[in-house]
Amino acid sequence: MNASNIAAGSVSSGSSQRGLLYSGGSASIITQTTPDGSYFLTAFGINDSGWVVGQGIDPNNAARNVGIAYDIGDSVAFEVGALPGMNGALAFAVSNTGYVVGSSMLNQGSGLPFIWSDKDGMVAIPLASGTSEGSARAVNSAGWVVGDDSSAFSIPFLYDGTTTYRIADLIPANSGWDLSMNTSSSALGISEDGVIVGTGVHNGETHACAMVPVTPTPSPTPTATPRPSPTPRSRPTPQPRPTPPSRQVPLNKIRIT
């Protein structure tokens, strides 16, 4: 659901299933198709600008997943494409700034996580270490992405636009949480301020969880013994320092609850 209380989803099942929008007590099927005739099977996400993303069906190749997007304002549907070597995708989420994330695959095989934008097109998200496939499930306005990579186990990840982190490596040691040695862990959503929600195993039991970035606590300034003040001398005018690039959240620690 977006800020205008428009919900996206699907109706019916099987060959009759279609993407759906619900607002103000009424529902409507998404009837717009891409130029090649692909249509919405289900809508997985919607942003505040009225972009809807989901899974589409290609009438010319039903084995192919179509990562489909629909702009309500322009009444236009389009496909986000596929990564090299793949022929389709599933689009799971869209940010308010137009980033689309999901998984790209060959037909309906295993996939690789991607992030798409109108400027850069589809870009592969690096897999977390020790994994061979994955899916991006959520993205915020800054382009920070969370999802799940896997090999033998499910590995929740965080991607900051440059680096993919195993979330298990960001939480405190000895917390009782296991996010790397089971098939039940996941990262399914990320807020604008970096709070991640998903599932994890805590002391042997699977639970929903929230992972909250923790701002490092500054070290206290030591109290020094007063020293005699020297005679003031003139100083050159300081040169302005460049403003360092800002990061959305520090990545040295995440508190999980």
Side-chain angles (χ1 to χ4, degrees), residues 1-17:
M1 179 180 289
N2 68 7
S4 300
N5 294 324
I6 303 174
S10 66
V11 64
S12 195
S13 61
S15 61
S16 299
Q17 184 175 345

Side-chain angles (χ1 to χ4, degrees), residues 17-252:
Q17 184 175 345
R18 293 292 186 275
L20 184 79
L21 297 176
Y22 177 86
S23 177
S26 62
S28 59
I29 291 174
I30 303 172
T31 58
Q32 283 74 12
T33 63
T34 67
D36 70 356
S38 295
Y39 59 88
F40 265 89
L41 182 70
T42 188
F44 290 124
I46 182 171
N47 71 8
D48 291 345
S49 300
W51 275 36
V52 186
V53 297
Q55 177 187 6
I57 291 293
D58 181 350
N60 301 309
N61 182 2
R64 185 174 79 91
N65 287 320
V66 176
I68 192 169
Y70 167 51
D71 184 344
I72 296 175
D74 290 341
S75 193
V76 172
F78 60 94
E79 183 176 348
V80 298
L83 292 174
M86 310 298 186
N87 66 357
L90 296 172
F92 287 118
V94 56
S95 74
N96 287 331
T97 48
Y99 291 112
V100 178
V101 297
S103 181
S104 181
M105 67 286 295
L106 180 63
N107 292 328
Q108 296 178 9
S110 59
L112 297 173
F114 73 84
I115 181 169
W116 177 96
S117 68
D118 189 49
K119 175 184 176 182
D120 298 322
M122 183 173 281
V123 176
I125 294 174
L127 289 168
S129 61
T131 64
S132 58
E133 59 187 73
S135 177
R137 301 308 297 263
V139 58
N140 67 13
S141 292
W144 286 47
V145 183
V146 295
D148 307 311
D149 290 338
S150 63
S151 51
F153 302 113
S154 177
I155 307 297
F157 72 82
L158 167 66
Y159 172 68
D160 66 357
T162 302
T163 303
T164 300
Y165 300 87
R166 294 164 63 111
I167 295 178
D169 296 338
L170 302 178
I171 62 176
N174 303 318
S175 66
W177 286 95
D178 170 18
L179 298 181
S180 62
M181 298 295 291
N182 61 79
T183 58
S184 301
S185 296
S186 64
L188 300 175
I190 182 168
S191 69
E192 299 289 48
D193 56 355
V195 177
I196 302 166
V197 293
T199 58
V201 175
H202 185 254
N203 294 330
E205 296 183 349
T206 302
H207 293 274
C209 58
M211 293 158 269
V212 184
V214 177
T215 302
T217 303
S219 301
T221 303
T223 302
T225 303
R227 303 179 64 181
S229 299
T231 302
R233 293 188 298 174
S234 61
R235 301 178 64 184
T237 303
Q239 297 297 313
R241 294 182 179 182
T243 303
S246 61
R247 296 185 70 109
Q248 186 187 26
V249 294
L251 286 180
N252 65 329

